[in-house]
Amino acid sequence: MAITIAPSILSADFSRLGEDVRMIQNAGAEMLHIDVMDGHFVPNITIGPVVVESLRKVSSLKFDVHLMIENPEKYAEAFVKAGADHITISLESTRHVHRVIQQIKSLGVTVGVALNPATPLETLTYILQELDMVLLMTVNPGFGGQKFIQAVLPKIIALSEILKEVNPLCLIEVDGGINMDTARLASRAGAEILVAGAAVFNTPDPGQSFKDILQAAEEEQDS
């Protein structure tokens, strides 16, 4: 099982965003995590499609866009047109999850559903076969730099076992509090994509930090 570290621009320097993205791409990153927040579903406001469109001009990374917004069905197409390769919606953000999944698929990109830490896996029962990714939040969404919630680890393990039977091609992503230590824990539990923000960008050498976190996660798998 390959491990992917997806650096999150939530913790990047927005005054030099293009440079930061190029730096982690040069370090070997293949995926960029982009958190979109609306100030309603989560208590913060981040970016819109214009920023994604600008980054698309300077980066060939896979854009992993998490719409942490109410009514994501209204905005998914705009983010795809701006350059998103993958769209994740938060399960709790819309009433008609299956309909939104189908809408996003029709736009020609992969689709995922995110669960907040306290949302049970049972809520995914009737949509798991439709998904390319499940994102398990390991912090309560809204802000970067939070502490990893270790109570989510059994949830990752349980989801990994369920997907082996229901949808083996579906990937497990985790987001929140990922650093070298928690990357090991998440990888051991079965996560395949680890979103790392502050532990990459809030360091003297983001490129080296990216490599260190990836190495830690890969070593855990090999042990």
Side-chain angles (χ1 to χ4, degrees), residues 68 79 222:
M68 286 188 267
F79 280 96
D222 294 336

Side-chain angles (χ1 to χ4, degrees), residues 49-64:
V50 172
V51 174
V52 176
E53 184 177 14
S54 297
L55 287 176
R56 184 80 286 168
K57 295 175 183 178
V58 299
S59 175
S60 60
L61 292 172
K62 180 176 181 178
F63 283 4
D64 169 28

Side-chain angles (χ1 to χ4, degrees), residues 37-48:
M37 305 181 187
D38 62 358
H40 294 281
F41 178 66
V42 291
N44 197 6
I45 298 173
T46 54
I47 66 169

Side-chain angles (χ1 to χ4, degrees), residues 41 67-73 89-95:
F41 178 66
L67 299 183
M68 286 188 267
I69 61 177
E70 292 182 357
N71 304 311
E73 60 272 18
I89 62 168
S90 292
L91 181 86
E92 306 87 355
S93 69
T94 183
R95 293 181 179 179

Side-chain angles (χ1 to χ4, degrees), residues 8 24 33 39 46 52 61 65-66 69 94 110 120 123 133 135 139 145 166 181 185 199:
S8 169
I24 59 101
H33 189 79
T46 54
V52 176
L61 292 172
V65 177
H66 181 189
I69 61 177
T94 183
T110 54
T123 56
M133 179 195 294
L135 168 55
V139 298
V166 177
D181 293 331
L185 296 175

Side-chain angles (χ1 to χ4, degrees), residues 5-23:
I5 304 298
S8 169
I9 66 168
L10 187 62
S11 297
D13 183 348
F14 273 65
S15 71
R16 44 167 291 161
L17 194 52
E19 296 171 54
D20 277 3
V21 170
R22 288 192 195 95
M23 178 169 46

Side-chain angles (χ1 to χ4, degrees), residues 5 10 19 38 71 74 127 134 177 184 191 205 212 220:
I5 304 298
L10 187 62
E19 296 171 54
D38 62 358
N71 304 311
K74 294 182 179 180
I127 58 173
V134 175
R184 292 186 179 97
D205 188 344
D212 290 343
E220 185 59 42

